[in-house]
Amino acid sequence: MKVIDTALPGVRLIEPRVFSDARGFFLESFSARRYREEAGIEPVFVQDNVSRSACGVLRGLHFQRTRPQGKLVQVIEGTVFDVAVDIDPHSATFGRHVAVELSADNHRQIWIPPGYAHGFCVLSDTALFQYKCTEYYDPADEDGLAWDCPDLAIPWPIRDPILSDKDRRHPGLKEWARALKP
């Protein structure tokens, strides 16, 4: 497998080895030993999630406030534009993002450690999105940032995404950071 460090600390792009022939392909989507030895990733996953979304759907930017989730993300069907945002106000990369295209064809994964906001938008007709989490989902602990926050300057490849009501109401980065201060 190939591991590519990104501009954000700990966020890594992973290109698994894919064995293809006339019958199709095989890849190892996760091995604790391999990810620890080759990628320096040693999470304990407690929950797996799958979502299917239509073209133009944007989910995010989500995170949990006090029990942050690390996520190993991949696309099983279709193509998405995937984004991780540093939300640690004490970090040198606070407010910066990394964006990658994940697809069923490129088989890429992205490891997003705890402490980052995460979101994606669907570029194909549909996308089947799978992610492993290091913490259980807690609706009382969830939070988010506005997908179109100008301070984040994320170059989303769609202009008018399909959003949930919750995702329409998230604050921008500065507003969220101000609310953190006592």
Side-chain angles (χ1 to χ4, degrees), residues 25 28 55 59-60 64-65 85-86 88 95 100 155:
F25 73 88
E28 190 175 77
C55 186
R59 296 182 184 268
Q64 292 192 166
R65 290 182 300 276
V85 177
D86 186 342
D88 178 356
V100 296

Side-chain angles (χ1 to χ4, degrees), residues 13-92:
L13 186 62
I14 299 165
E15 296 178 348
R17 268 183 86 192
V18 181
F19 302 92
S20 300
D21 62 24
R23 300 169 296 161
F25 73 88
F26 171 85
L27 68 85
E28 190 175 77
S29 62
F30 179 74
S31 163
R33 179 178 46 227
R34 183 179 308 260
Y35 279 58
R36 180 181 63 250
E37 292 173 0
E38 296 181 28
I41 298 169
E42 202 166 351
V44 174
F45 294 115
V46 298
Q47 182 174 324
D48 284 5
N49 300 314
V50 175
S51 71
R52 179 181 297 278
S53 302
C55 186
V57 167
L58 191 149
R59 296 182 184 268
L61 299 159
H62 303 148
F63 56 94
Q64 292 192 166
R65 290 182 300 276
T66 62
R67 297 183 60 148
Q69 296 175 308
K71 297 177 181 178
L72 181 63
V73 172
Q74 68 186 88
V75 172
I76 305 300
E77 171 188 296
T79 304
V80 306
F81 180 81
D82 197 82
V83 177
V85 177
D86 186 342
I87 58 169
D88 178 356
H90 306 292
S91 169

Side-chain angles (χ1 to χ4, degrees), residues 57-65 68-69 71 83-85 87 112-113 115-120 129 131 137 141-147 156 163-168 170:
V57 167
L58 191 149
R59 296 182 184 268
L61 299 159
H62 303 148
F63 56 94
Q64 292 192 166
R65 290 182 300 276
Q69 296 175 308
K71 297 177 181 178
V83 177
V85 177
I87 58 169
I112 304 167
Y116 288 87
H118 173 252
F120 67 93
F129 189 84
Y131 52 108
Y137 169 69
D141 197 37
E142 73 178 337
D143 208 342
L145 294 175
W147 69 276
W156 295 101
L163 301 167
S164 70
D165 288 340
K166 178 176 61 177
D167 286 347
R168 290 180 201 284
H170 291 311

